[in-house]
């Protein structure tokens, strides 16, 4: 009996001398995106991978990239010189071109970068130079417990360069005033998103209310945006009648004035400038896709309402509660909401006509 106890004690001693296993690395680490579709020439990031309980920190790296036929390629890793923002534009401090340029860097960059900590892929503006459309990405993940070679981790499909993205809904709205600063929605024309069937007309200048067209390749690296607000017949307003929308607060909502180095007014437009796209760069109120919402109103003396055109399209309307007793005219203003992102350099004209209005 004593011998059995003795042997058992030796076994326990041996076991206690073995180092316990530290950490865990899963055999099922995988990408959450079988295929990552990337618009060329645009900064873009992927979703982080699923690590299935693996111990952090993990270290990620691209091991190789192949084309769709399995041939090794470096096209996504070849470097091209691009102009990039090294820090966010801030209109409260970047008040001159010289100050803003300190946040810009012209440097050689690859089209794809893998975040070594999070495992996310980042695609840079250098991807505008990528010729092929399909790639397979092989990676390696390792932690304190070991490493996993993850071949065919995900696929990358390169889409066309998208100079204009419709990040959130654009609205051209006629508002009708009841008096005492109260307005009802009279009519709204909108462009919902990139998939809106009206987008081709917006980009080729044929849409009846909203157009966004490139009018010059200059400046080559910077971006200028010429904003025109017009009546429904296309007659531009004096830009002084296009004002900030405060939304009931003490500060204006997001606007293009916050995204420019100097604002220039001519007889029919407001011109904004930034030393590099994308534009806009700054978001006062929102994050994510909503960061691209930009708001304006018009003054109450900018338009008269084209009642005949309105009723021809929408039927007879009782206008009585909107009549100004002192003038007999319909109280109105425009509500202007932009929601696009400009990824390309050059000069762009963005024009919005306000439905059923005539310039005073």
């Amino acid at each position: 009996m004593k011998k059995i106890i003795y042997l058992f004690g030796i076994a326990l001693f041996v076991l206690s001398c073995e180092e316990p296993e530290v950490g865990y690395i899963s055999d099922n680490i995988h990408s959450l995106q079988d295929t990552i579709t990337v618009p060329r020439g645009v900064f873009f990031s992927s979703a982080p991978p699923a690590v299935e309980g693996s111990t952090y920190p993990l270290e990620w790296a691209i091991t190789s990239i192949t084309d769709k036929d399995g041939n090794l390629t470096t096209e996504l890793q070849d470097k091209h010189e691009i102009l990039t923002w090294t820090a966010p534009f801030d209109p409260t401090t970047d008040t001159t071109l010289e100050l803003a340029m300190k946040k810009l860097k012209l440097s050689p960059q690859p089209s794809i970068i893998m975040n070594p900590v999070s495992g996310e892929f980042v695609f840079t503006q250098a991807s505008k130079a990528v010729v092929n459309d399909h790639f397979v990405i092989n990676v390696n993940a390792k932690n304190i417990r070991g490493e996993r070679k993850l071949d065919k981790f995900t696929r990358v499909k390169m889409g066309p360069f998208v100079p204009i993205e419709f990040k959130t809904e654009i609205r051209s709205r006629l508002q009708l005033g009841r008096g005492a600063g109260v307005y009802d929605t009279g009519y709204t024309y909108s462009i919902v998103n990139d998939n809106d069937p009206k987008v081709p007309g917006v980009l080729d200048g044929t849409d009846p209310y909203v157009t966004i067209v490139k009018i010059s390749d200059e400046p080559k690296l910077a971006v200028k945006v010429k904003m025109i607000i017009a009546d429904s017949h296309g007659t531009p307003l004096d830009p002084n009648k296009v004002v900030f929308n405060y939304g009931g607060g003490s500060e204006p909502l997001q606007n293009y004035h916050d995204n420019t180095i100097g604002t220039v007014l001519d007889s029919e437009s407001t011109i904004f400038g930034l030393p590099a796209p994308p534009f806009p760069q700054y978001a006062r109120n929102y994050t994510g896709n909503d960061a691209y919402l930009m708001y304006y109103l018009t003054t109450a003396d900018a338009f008269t309402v084209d009642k005949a055109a309105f009723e021809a399209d929408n039927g007879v309307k009782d206008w009585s509660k909107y009549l100004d007793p002192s003038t007999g005219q319909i109280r109105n203003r425009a509500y202007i909401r932009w929601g696009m992102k400009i990824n390309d350099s050059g000069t762009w004209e963005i024009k919005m006509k306000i439905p059923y209005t005539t310039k005073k």
Side-chain angles (χ1 to χ4, degrees), residues 173-193:
R173 175 176 291 169
L174 170 65
Q175 292 186 321
L176 303 174
R178 296 188 183 190
V182 178
Y183 284 86
D184 294 338
T185 297
Y187 185 87
T188 300
Y189 185 84
S190 67
I191 310 297
V192 178
N193 54 33

Side-chain angles (χ1 to χ4, degrees), residues 71-114:
N71 302 309
L72 288 173
T73 177
T74 62
E75 189 175 8
L76 288 180
Q77 296 164 305
D78 294 341
K79 293 183 178 181
H80 303 275
E81 199 166 62
I82 58 172
L83 188 64
T84 59
W85 290 93
T86 60
F89 174 75
D90 184 346
T92 62
T93 57
D94 304 328
T95 53
T96 67
L97 182 61
E98 182 181 12
L99 290 170
M101 290 296 289
K102 290 180 179 179
K103 292 184 173 181
L104 289 166
K105 184 179 181 181
L106 191 62
S107 63
Q109 296 292 333
S111 298
I112 188 172
I113 300 170
M114 191 174 200

